[in-house]
Amino acid sequence: MTKEELMRRAIELSADSVRNGGGPFGAVIVRNGEIIAEGSNGVTIYNDPTAHAEVSTIRKACQKLNTFDLTGCEIYTSCEPCPMCLGAIYWAHLDKIYYANDRKDAAGIGFDDDFIYQEIELKPQYRKKPSEILLRNEAIKVFEQWTAKTDKTEY
């Protein structure tokens, strides 16, 4: 399949999502030109704020390939990924991102992620969502256990 055909599939999934009560987002993960997984936005369908098209599709691809590392795969998404999805794409090690609409287009229909991008740049004490360090001395022991573990699977 060509890049354009793969993007058209992501766009088709986004249109299907709108018809089925989801948000206007679709995604396809591809390896060597073959579709590995596809998905759409299910936030309102599943009452799951993490059920974005990209995250849902990453989950499906990882299950299908039985791995958490999608190196060698690319993602085609109908819109520029939000910060959560962008993070998931990096953690999944996808090789490349193709997108159709950009984040300004998304903001124009009420999906404005700019406030999250701005929050990420701030130190935690200046963010709008308060956060507080609690029981670090207890939690750090688990990190020490992880560091000492010789048979861990690193990611």
Side-chain angles (χ1 to χ4, degrees):
M1 296 182 83
T2 68
K3 291 178 185 179
E4 290 77 12
E5 289 170 324
L6 293 165
M7 183 58 74
R8 284 189 186 102
R9 180 61 186 148
I11 294 167
E12 182 181 326
L13 289 163
S14 71
D16 289 346
S17 183
V18 171
R19 282 191 290 278
N20 294 323
F25 306 99
V28 175
I29 291 180
V30 177
R31 183 172 63 184
N32 299 324
E34 176 190 343
I35 294 176
I36 301 299
E38 54 184 40
S40 60
N41 181 283
V43 171
T44 57
I45 294 169
Y46 305 114
N47 293 316
D48 179 353
T50 68
H52 289 202
E54 297 90 338
V55 171
S56 298
T57 307
I58 288 169
R59 288 176 180 153
K60 290 177 184 178
C62 289
Q63 287 175 355
K64 182 174 182 178
L65 298 175
N66 195 31
T67 183
F68 54 82
D69 186 341
L70 297 177
T71 298
C73 297
E74 300 174 330
I75 189 165
Y76 290 76
T77 181
S78 64
C79 188
E80 182 178 359
C82 75
M84 176 184 68
C85 293
L86 186 61
I89 288 166
Y90 274 90
W91 280 114
H93 304 286
L94 288 158
D95 291 355
K96 189 167 184 177
I97 305 165
Y98 297 91
Y99 60 88
N101 295 315
D102 66 20
R103 64 189 197 189
K104 290 179 183 175
D105 297 323
I109 62 164
F111 294 94
D112 192 352
D113 300 324
D114 193 52
F115 73 99
I116 299 172
Y117 284 103
Q118 291 175 21
E119 287 283 295
I120 289 169
E121 294 177 9
L122 299 174
K123 292 181 180 180
Q125 65 266 31
Y126 299 117
R127 294 181 183 156
K128 291 179 181 158
K129 296 282 182 191
S131 62
E132 177 181 341
I133 296 174
L134 186 63
L135 300 178
R136 181 184 179 275
N137 291 336
E138 293 179 31
I140 200 72
K141 292 175 185 170
V142 180
F143 279 14
E144 291 165 355
Q145 290 171 0
W146 170 260
T147 301
K149 188 173 174 66
T150 57
D151 63 341
K152 63 186 167 222
T153 302
E154 295 195 28
Y155 57 97

